[in-house]
Amino acid sequence: MAPRGFPYEDLQSFVAALEAAGELRRVTVPVDPTLEISEVVTRTVRAGGPALLFERPTRGDMPVAINLFGTEKRMAMALGVETLDEVGNRIGEMLKPELPVGWSGIREGIGKVLQLKSLPPRKVKTAPCQEVVLKGDEVDLGKLPGLQVWPGDGGVFHNFGLTHTKHPETGKRNLGLYRLQQHSRNTLGMHWQIHKDSTAHHAVAERLGRRLPVAIAIGCDPVVSYAASAPLPSDIDEYLFAGFLRGERVEMVDCLTVPLQVPANAQIILEGYLEPGERLPEGPFGDHTGFYTPVEPFPVLHVECMTMRKKPIYHSIITSKPPQEDHGLGKATERIFLPLLRMLIPDIVDYDLPAAGVFHNCAIVSIRKRYPKHAQKIMNAIWGAHLMSLTKLIVIVDEDCDVHDYNEVAFRAFGNVDYDRDLMLTQGPVDHLDHASYQQFWGGKAGIDATRKLPSEGYTRGWPEEMTMSPEVVGLVDKRWKEYGI
């Protein structure tokens, strides 16, 4: 059953739902967006605490909402479900008729799901996000309580700005989530990474010698915010996906100065252009890897128009080594995309992306093993699967292993592996933010086959039987447990 008020019209209604459920606390004393908010939120996240609304930040003109997605419970509330698996199960049910296996199958599968529940965005003429309009010299990014999260950060960053671009030739829209460094009252550094679709849009615009229009929405409803982070194929519209998740259309409005549309119920909109060839140093920035990313040249957004609600809420997120708020976002993607990953690799039973591996360093995968070197086939398939290709370590276990029980996984990986035979080493692309690779963007990867070995794989000793208690004794002890007085 969906939570009361779902789908949430805007950020205000989601904040109200969290507060009613005891999942949000208001901080009424002044708190500094430079470092102090970060330390408060980090302690709260690591204690499993609530979402926070800082009502009186000492910089900026509006309250700060943060840690909205910091637990799986709040992430499930954001998507209108009891558990995150429900969304994946809905998708799985719709994909039951046969579709092509492989990457084309994933594209067709998502397309089929969205066609069956076709809820494209709906254009509106007026919007709450345009109640206040600031243009030209009136634009002042200092009105926003952007955060400096770590002492070594290069300045103030806006960490939950939903970035809208269009392909200059095809007109295809992209929605992405990238950090934004505030360079001045009206310029931002656009940290979009090499593997992202907006990077491709910008490259085409530069090749054509054109400006690239950009619109950034801050403080959207929680489903749209999640959709911006989802690793969708480039030809799947994020707002169609958000409509499917919401069960109703997302309302969009035309921007005032750029040829783009943005969510009508967002809190703040920043409109502007990237000039071809222009770069400024961006960073350093304490990222979700737990380390500072270095200074690199990135495009510069010149903000020419800033619109907002009359009483906006500024939404942001803290980045640090795990555990941190992005846990909820990562787990939502893991669960939602399981049936689509199974379309690509049908032998997968389940998978887990550990938060400690920041969701792209490690994947634990259970399979229904049927033939020699089956595990190695799965490893190679994962390394060829869209953004799963960035995974550095893959651990393959048998289907009777719970991939979410890290003790059980460790037991298999430590005990079931002859590292002379069961370890696969290779090279391939890694995440833009990966600091361990000796070359940026590519490095070494490992796959561990922790499955039971077959005679046909050269294991001739006869795999031993794992110890389990007989069901009769388990039942007897269950029945008599209170008698033991333990």
Side-chain angles (χ1 to χ4, degrees), residues 165-167 170-174 201 233-238:
T165 59
K166 279 186 180 180
H167 191 289
T170 68
K172 175 71 178 66
R173 172 172 53 204
N174 182 68
H201 291 186
S234 60
D235 53 353
I236 300 296
D237 187 280
E238 286 84 2

Side-chain angles (χ1 to χ4, degrees), residues 327-407:
H327 170 83
L329 295 166
K331 281 297 170 184
T333 291
E334 175 196 289
R335 296 294 88 200
I336 290 171
F337 284 81
L338 175 60
L340 298 166
L341 187 60
R342 283 176 177 156
M343 286 186 63
L344 182 63
I345 314 169
D347 297 329
I348 288 179
V349 174
D350 199 357
Y351 78 126
D352 184 279
L353 304 175
V358 296
F359 298 105
H360 55 71
N361 283 340
C362 178
I364 302 164
V365 181
S366 59
I367 67 169
R368 195 167 291 110
K369 185 171 177 177
R370 295 186 289 113
Y371 47 79
K373 300 298 180 182
H374 196 168
Q376 286 76 4
K377 175 199 170 184
I378 301 299
M379 296 171 194
N380 285 311
I382 291 171
W383 281 321
H386 196 36
L387 290 182
M388 290 290 287
S389 64
L390 305 180
T391 308
K392 294 206 294 185
L393 174 65
I394 300 172
V395 181
I396 307 291
V397 294
D398 288 300
E399 63 180 309
D400 61 349
C401 178
D402 180 358
V403 294
H404 311 295
D405 183 342
Y406 297 156
N407 286 330

Side-chain angles (χ1 to χ4, degrees), residues 119-153:
L119 294 166
R122 177 172 57 235
K123 182 179 175 180
V124 297
K125 293 183 178 180
T126 59
C129 69
Q130 294 174 344
E131 290 173 343
V132 177
V133 178
L134 304 172
K135 292 184 177 180
D137 292 341
E138 295 177 314
V139 171
D140 183 5
L141 296 173
K143 294 179 177 294
L144 308 180
L147 305 182
Q148 181 178 347
V149 176
W150 295 103
D153 283 356

Side-chain angles (χ1 to χ4, degrees), residues 204-402:
V204 172
E206 288 198 312
R207 175 170 56 81
L208 298 173
R210 298 180 192 169
R211 284 175 152 190
L212 182 72
V214 176
I216 294 166
I218 298 174
C220 297
D221 80 72
V223 173
V224 168
S225 293
Y226 167 70
S229 76
L232 293 168
S234 60
D235 53 353
I236 300 296
D237 187 280
E238 286 84 2
Y239 281 105
L240 202 58
F241 183 58
F244 164 74
L245 294 175
R246 285 169 53 87
E248 71 176 38
R249 296 179 176 189
V250 178
E251 292 188 345
M252 308 284 286
V253 68
D254 287 338
C255 289
L256 301 182
T257 62
V258 293
L260 296 166
Q261 291 185 341
V262 289
N265 290 309
Q267 306 295 303
I268 303 141
I269 304 295
L270 308 176
E271 303 176 12
Y273 292 90
L274 305 181
E275 294 288 353
E278 184 181 16
R279 303 287 190 279
L280 280 179
E282 194 272 357
F285 179 76
D287 221 307
H288 69 285
T289 60
F291 297 88
Y292 288 103
T293 52
V295 175
E296 293 182 88
F298 276 94
V300 181
L301 176 65
H302 296 266
V303 181
E304 299 187 343
C305 181
M306 181 176 181
T307 73
M308 63 184 77
R309 289 170 174 250
K310 290 180 180 177
K311 293 184 178 180
I313 298 173
Y314 178 84
H315 179 207
S316 193
I317 190 170
I318 297 298
T319 53
S320 78
K321 68 181 181 182
Q324 198 43 269
E325 181 184 349
D326 60 1
H327 170 83
L329 295 166
K331 281 297 170 184
T333 291
E334 175 196 289
R335 296 294 88 200
I336 290 171
F337 284 81
L338 175 60
L340 298 166
L341 187 60
R342 283 176 177 156
M343 286 186 63
L344 182 63
I345 314 169
D347 297 329
I348 288 179
V349 174
D350 199 357
Y351 78 126
D352 184 279
L353 304 175
V358 296
F359 298 105
H360 55 71
N361 283 340
C362 178
I364 302 164
V365 181
S366 59
I367 67 169
R368 195 167 291 110
K369 185 171 177 177
R370 295 186 289 113
Y371 47 79
K373 300 298 180 182
H374 196 168
Q376 286 76 4
K377 175 199 170 184
I378 301 299
M379 296 171 194
N380 285 311
I382 291 171
W383 281 321
H386 196 36
L387 290 182
M388 290 290 287
S389 64
L390 305 180
T391 308
K392 294 206 294 185
L393 174 65
I394 300 172
V395 181
I396 307 291
V397 294
D398 288 300
E399 63 180 309
D400 61 349
C401 178
D402 180 358

